[in-house]
Amino acid sequence: MEPSAIDVQSATRRFGDLIAVDDLSFGVQPGEIFGLLGPNGAGKTTTIHLITGILRRHGGKVQVLGHDPQTEARRVRQVIGYVPQETNVYADLSAVDNLWHHAALYCRDLAAVKERIRDLLQLMNLWERRKDAVRTFSGGMKRRLALARALLHDPEVILFDEPTLGVDVQGRHALWEHIKEQRAEGKTFVVCTNNMTEADVLCERLVIIDQGRAIALDTPEKLKADLG
């Protein structure tokens, strides 16, 4: 059997007396769009932060393509792309300059970056606006730019926290299509959302999280049938 892209086993994370992630386990297969579904405050973002290594876990095991984000942080950063909940692109820079800034930090081979930036901005339908300050972009355009940035160093795994937060309906559907296109290219996605429609449209499997614990894990169709 093919090894998991992400393997989370009995992961636990506390903040003082609060157990934000509580003995959580799930696996994500290579090339899968996997969902973390639950209400705000359920522990989804904390789980993402354990996978990326932003936070240290207090128990359990986490591996990304066989690497532990706590002990092999640099290796894990090379194989993941992360789009956080807050669209933290630089508003006063152009789309191209935002991507060059990211490339300087994360791309080992800068010789190929110019062509890669062009390809990604064309893919995200942002090429015509490449020289415009990002503050003039809509919410959906900023999220597409953030996805382009996450893809720039060609990671195998992309973590996307609330993909369509602050995005209008048209932008939401465009973003969903871009995620599916990247999945068809072999990328693995973990999508955090509190929107069942989004999980249903995007995810092949998902885990429902509440108060840091997994309460169900299956395909959207099976979960809808079971939960009514």
Side-chain angles (χ1 to χ4, degrees):
M1 184 177 175
E2 195 173 9
S4 297
I6 296 173
D7 186 28
V8 177
Q9 294 183 19
S10 300
T12 301
R13 171 70 199 197
R14 296 182 297 275
F15 295 98
D17 293 333
L18 172 69
I19 304 175
V21 174
D22 188 1
D23 195 32
L24 182 65
S25 298
F26 62 88
V28 182
Q29 297 307 308
E32 181 176 33
I33 301 178
F34 186 89
L36 303 180
L37 177 67
N40 292 337
K44 303 187 303 295
T45 297
T46 302
T47 301
I48 290 284
H49 287 172
L50 294 179
I51 294 169
T52 60
I54 292 172
L55 289 174
R56 297 181 70 82
R57 59 190 181 273
H58 291 128
K61 175 182 166 186
V62 176
Q63 287 199 321
V64 181
L65 297 171
H67 303 286
D68 185 329
Q70 277 185 202
T71 59
E72 302 172 88
R74 181 183 291 273
R75 183 73 186 108
V76 168
R77 281 197 296 269
Q78 288 172 348
V79 298
I80 62 171
Y82 177 40
V83 185
Q85 202 172 108
E86 308 80 23
T87 306
N88 58 347
V89 287
Y90 296 104
D92 291 330
L93 295 182
S94 68
V96 166
D97 287 343
N98 263 278
L99 295 186
W100 270 112
H101 180 271
H102 185 80
L105 294 173
Y106 290 99
C107 295
R108 286 175 290 179
D109 179 14
L110 291 179
V113 165
K114 186 174 182 180
E115 187 175 343
R116 179 99 179 127
I117 287 175
R118 184 196 65 210
D119 290 346
L120 284 168
L121 289 177
Q122 287 176 342
L123 175 70
M124 298 296 163
N125 299 325
L126 294 171
W127 181 248
E128 300 302 320
R129 299 288 302 276
R130 65 190 181 278
K131 296 180 181 178
D132 296 349
V134 169
R135 66 172 177 271
T136 66
F137 284 15
S138 68
M141 292 167 70
K142 289 175 183 174
R143 293 305 267 170
R144 297 204 305 275
L145 179 61
L147 178 55
R149 183 183 60 187
L151 292 167
L152 187 58
H153 62 290
D154 199 24
E156 296 175 61
V157 178
I158 295 97
L159 304 151
F160 212 148
D161 198 353
E162 301 289 352
T164 53
L165 190 70
V167 177
D168 61 24
V169 173
Q170 186 178 2
R172 185 179 308 152
H173 286 278
L175 204 54
W176 289 345
E177 287 308 309
H178 287 306
I179 292 172
K180 288 177 181 177
E181 285 170 12
Q182 288 303 306
R183 186 252 179 227
E185 296 287 325
K187 304 293 186 189
T188 303
F189 276 87
V190 176
V191 175
C192 262
T193 184
N194 57 17
N195 184 328
M196 184 62 207
T197 302
E198 184 157 76
D200 194 17
V201 167
L202 282 178
C203 301
E204 293 151 277
R205 291 187 308 132
L206 57 92
V207 60
I208 298 177
I209 300 176
D210 193 27
Q211 296 182 337
R213 296 187 70 90
I215 58 174
L217 194 164
D218 216 318
T219 64
E221 293 77 17
K222 187 76 165 56
L223 289 171
K224 284 188 294 185
D226 289 349
L227 300 173

